[in-house]
Amino acid sequence: MPMKTEAVIFDLDNTLINRKLAFRAYSEHFIDRFASVRDARQKEEFVEFMRVSDRDSYRDKREMALECLAAFPLKNPETTAEELLDHWFAEFYNYTVLMDGTLDVLERLKRKNIKLGLITNGSPHAQHAKIDKAQIREYFDVVIVSGEAGFHKPDKRLFELALSRLEAKPENSWYVGDHPRNDVFGATSAGLKAVWLRGFMDWHRDLDEPEHRIDSLDEIIALIDKA
């Protein structure tokens, strides 16, 4: 007899919120604010430069600021890396945008009396700001940010911590995320049923193929119903 799903835990960036779209919108604003741009083509080149420099959010932001400072012709030549960094932390969360279907999925899971958790890598300031901007905190029984926990995904201790706080067994719990190693491998190593949300990162060839994969958030409902 199948076991009842006790909990579903989500990643944040490029899972519940579309960081890819948010980063592009922020990059356009950043360039308008700080760079002297010749034309639309050059602006697009600068946007692409920032996308590559960001490394899917895994680049140290000070390093990225220094790289932009060196690469862009600035409106004010006296602009410092600290100013660029301050701008990032003050403004980026304002560009947070929900992934298609996020609210519907969270509400449907809540109606099933399933506990909900959120685990995200990053700094407490940045990640909590995005969660609140997206107005989704109320859906979660547990929110864990790696910068507060002291270790980050794929460390299985993060997943075990979430399960402990949710009072849920790993074999009766799901984890949904876009990152092959941090999300799928990490959750699997902690005994959860991991689901890879495709479309943002290529699968890592050194990892076993995922058992569960989806192309949109709402597909998680059917997976749970069939379990």
Side-chain angles (χ1 to χ4, degrees), residues 169-203:
K169 297 178 180 178
E171 63 268 24
N172 298 337
S173 303
W174 297 78
Y175 185 86
V176 185
D178 72 296
H179 197 289
R181 190 174 307 279
N182 291 347
D183 293 321
V184 179
F185 171 78
T188 300
S189 69
L192 291 89
K193 290 175 279 192
V195 182
W196 180 39
L197 178 60
R198 298 189 290 193
F200 293 93
M201 299 195 73
D202 293 331
W203 189 255

Side-chain angles (χ1 to χ4, degrees), residues 149-169:
F151 33 86
H152 60 269
K153 296 181 293 184
D155 193 319
K156 69 177 184 178
R157 289 177 293 176
L158 272 176
F159 303 93
E160 291 169 347
L161 178 62
L163 290 170
S164 174
R165 293 181 179 177
L166 288 167
E167 299 182 343
K169 297 178 180 178

Side-chain angles (χ1 to χ4, degrees), residues 10-12 14-18 98-99 102 118 136 140 217:
F10 292 90
D11 171 46
L12 180 63
N14 288 335
T15 300
L16 295 179
I17 63 174
N18 194 322
L98 284 170
M99 195 74 74
T102 292
L118 176 61
I136 56 175
F140 296 100
L217 270 182

